Amino acid sequence: LLGGQAPAGAAPVGTATLRAPAATALASADKLAGQGDLYRAIARYGDVLAVDPRALAALARRAMLLRQLGSLPAALADYQKALQLNGEFWQARTNLALLHIERGEYAAAEQQLRSALRIQPANLSAQRSMVVALRGLQRLPEALAAAEAALQASPDSVELLTERGLTHAALQQYGAALQNFSRVIALRPQAAAGYYNRALMHDSLQDLPAALADYTRAVELDPNSAPALNNRGHVHFQQRNPAAAVKDYDSALALQPKYVLALQNRAAAQTELGQHALALADLNAAVALAPNEGQLYLDRGQAQHNLKQSAAALADFARAVALLPANALAYLRRGVEQASAGQGSAALADYDKAIALDPQLLEAYNNRGIVRMQAGEYSAARKDFEAIVKLNAAYTQAYYNRG
C-alpha cells in the first residue's frame, strides 16, 4: 500500500547550442509542453530533430513526455540515442534510470544511476532514485545506507526523507519510518503524502486511532485519493465499524471503479453486515478484473458458501487451492464445503493438508475430528480434539467434542 515506487521527478535537461530554426522549434515545443499539450509538443520536438538530429535537449525532453504518456519503448529509444551522442549526459542517464524503475528493471536503473552520480555526485534526483532501485533489488541495507549518505548533504530533502522512511518500512522498522514521515509532515504540512505514509506506519504498529486521524487528514488534503479512502475504510473495519468502512470503500470505488482491493475490502465489510449478495457481486467484479488472484476465489467461495451455493463455492475453493497451493485456509474452506456436501473422505484429505501446512490451525483439527467422529473413528477424533487443547486450552468447543 505504500506510495509509488518510482520517483516522479526527472532531472532537468539543459539546451545545447542549436541552429536558429531548431532553436525556434525547440522553444515552441517547450511552450506546448508547458501548456500540457503533450502530443503536439512531442511532434514539435520531432521537427527539431528533423532539422538537427543531434539536438540532445529535444531528444531528452521528448523522451520525458513519452515516458509521461506511458510510451516507454519510444522513450527508451530516445534516451539511448541521446547517450550515444553524449555519454556524459547525466540528466539523460538519470531520467533513463527512472524509466527502468517504472519498468521494474532495477539492475539496469542502478547501472545508469551509478554513471550519472559519477558525473554529477550532487544529483539529488539520482540519489533518490538509487534508493528506490536498491530497494527494488531487495538490497535494503544498501538502500538505507544510500539514503543516509544523501541526507547528510540534504537533511531537509522531503524526497530523501520519504525514501528513507519507505526503506525503513520495507525493513519492518515501522517506528523509524514513522519518524521520517513525521519530519516530512513538519516540512510540508499541506502535502497529503506524508500523512498517508505515516498512517500506514501507525496501522502497521496497530495504533488505529492515530492511523485514522492521519488517513482523514490525507483525505482532507487530497479528496481524490482512492488509496487513502480505501485504507481508512480498512481501519474502520478493524475497529469493528463495517458501516463506516463501506462508506469509505464506496468513495474509493467512485473514484476508481476498477480498484480491486477496494472491491475485495468492501465485500468483507458487507459480509460483516450480513449483505452476502452484495459481497458476492463485489467479488465477481474483482475476479473479472484480476482472474489469477487466488485470494479472490477464496473470498468468493466463502460468499457463495454463505449464500448456500455449494457447487459454486466448491469450484472457487478448488481454483483457490490451484492458485494458492501453500495456503492452509484454502484447503480448510474447501474441506468445510466438502463436509457439508457429504464428501467426508475428500474433506478429511483437505483437513490433513491444511494441518500439514499450518500445524497451529485449530479449526482444521476441530473439523477433522468432527468428520472422523461422524465416520465412527472415535479414537482418531479424540486425538484431534486433544491436539486442540494442547495448542489452546481456551478452545472450549474441543472439550465438548472430546467428551
Side-chain angles (χ1 to χ4, degrees):
L1 294 171
L2 290 174
Q5 184 82 306
V13 178
T15 304
T17 302
L18 295 173
R19 291 193 291 261
T24 300
L26 182 67
S28 172
D30 289 344
K31 183 177 179 179
L32 289 168
Q35 294 170 344
D37 195 346
L38 304 189
Y39 289 101
R40 288 181 64 199
I42 287 170
R44 200 70 177 122
Y45 286 129
D47 294 340
V48 176
L49 292 164
V51 175
D52 186 352
R54 299 180 64 84
L56 290 175
L59 278 168
R61 293 176 191 175
R62 185 173 70 176
M64 289 170 63
L65 297 186
L66 288 166
R67 171 181 158 242
Q68 188 175 338
L69 291 170
S71 299
L72 301 188
L76 179 63
D78 273 357
Y79 282 133
Q80 288 174 336
K81 185 173 181 179
L83 289 171
Q84 287 171 0
L85 292 170
N86 182 359
E88 297 296 296
F89 192 4
W90 61 267
Q91 298 99 324
R93 288 195 181 278
T94 302
N95 293 340
L96 176 56
L98 290 171
L99 187 151
H100 282 307
I101 286 172
E102 290 177 2
R103 290 160 61 106
E105 299 164 353
Y106 299 112
E110 180 190 8
Q111 181 181 3
Q112 293 297 334
L113 291 166
R114 293 204 182 280
S115 295
L117 288 167
R118 174 185 54 79
I119 301 164
Q120 176 54 267
N123 178 356
L124 183 62
S125 179
Q127 290 171 341
R128 177 191 181 190
S129 299
M130 180 64 80
V131 179
V132 177
L134 292 171
R135 195 167 63 238
L137 291 166
Q138 295 301 304
R139 287 154 55 186
L140 300 181
E142 289 181 65
L144 189 58
E148 297 282 5
L151 280 163
Q152 292 296 317
S154 305
D156 291 334
S157 167
V158 166
E159 292 77 12
L160 288 172
L161 286 165
T162 297
E163 296 305 336
R164 184 171 67 177
L166 294 175
T167 305
H168 277 302
L171 287 163
Q172 299 184 346
Q173 299 169 350
Y174 303 122
L178 192 148
Q179 291 178 3
N180 280 274
F181 298 135
S182 293
R183 178 65 179 149
V184 168
I185 290 168
L187 291 166
R188 288 189 188 168
Q190 297 304 311
Y195 295 94
Y196 176 82
N197 284 329
R198 189 172 70 175
L200 286 167
M201 299 308 101
H202 284 309
D203 200 347
S204 298
L205 292 166
Q206 286 298 298
D207 187 348
L208 298 183
L212 185 63
D214 272 351
Y215 282 133
T216 296
R217 184 59 178 149
V219 169
E220 290 170 352
L221 291 168
D222 183 5
N224 293 320
S225 174
L229 287 161
N230 173 73
N231 290 3
R232 186 173 69 175
H234 186 58
V235 172
H236 283 308
F237 183 79
Q238 292 178 87
Q239 292 179 323
R240 301 184 183 281
N241 189 351
V246 167
K247 288 181 180 179
D248 273 343
Y249 298 140
D250 287 345
S251 298
L253 287 163
L255 293 165
Q256 292 185 23
K258 295 183 178 181
Y259 194 172
V260 171
L261 184 58
L263 286 166
Q264 186 178 15
N265 286 341
R266 186 168 69 177
Q270 289 165 336
T271 298
E272 286 295 308
L273 293 168
Q275 299 170 345
H276 302 304
L278 291 176
L280 180 58
D282 273 349
L283 290 165
N284 283 337
V287 167
L289 292 166
N292 294 314
E293 179 56 53
Q295 185 63 45
L296 292 176
Y297 291 95
L298 191 54
D299 291 350
R300 190 172 71 173
Q302 189 61 39
Q304 288 161 337
H305 170 84
N306 294 336
L307 290 166
K308 302 187 185 306
Q309 299 174 2
S310 182
L314 277 172
D316 270 349
F317 290 141
R319 182 65 174 148
V321 165
L323 291 168
L324 304 170
N327 188 310
L329 193 57
Y331 292 94
L332 172 64
R333 288 190 179 172
R334 186 172 69 174
V336 170
E337 200 64 41
Q338 287 167 332
S340 298
Q343 302 171 12
S345 296
L348 281 176
D350 273 348
Y351 293 144
D352 287 344
K353 184 65 174 179
I355 290 168
L357 289 168
D358 183 1
Q360 307 295 315
L361 191 56
L362 302 180
E363 190 177 350
Y365 288 101
N366 188 64
N367 291 356
R368 187 172 69 177
I370 291 172
V371 171
R372 284 173 165 172
M373 190 165 56
Q374 291 171 341
E377 300 174 8
Y378 299 110
S379 177
R382 185 177 180 84
K383 288 180 180 178
D384 276 337
F385 300 136
E386 287 175 348
I388 296 173
V389 172
K390 289 179 181 178
L391 290 168
N392 184 354
Y395 197 101
T396 56
Q397 186 65 34
Y399 293 98
Y400 175 80
N401 289 336
R402 186 178 64 176

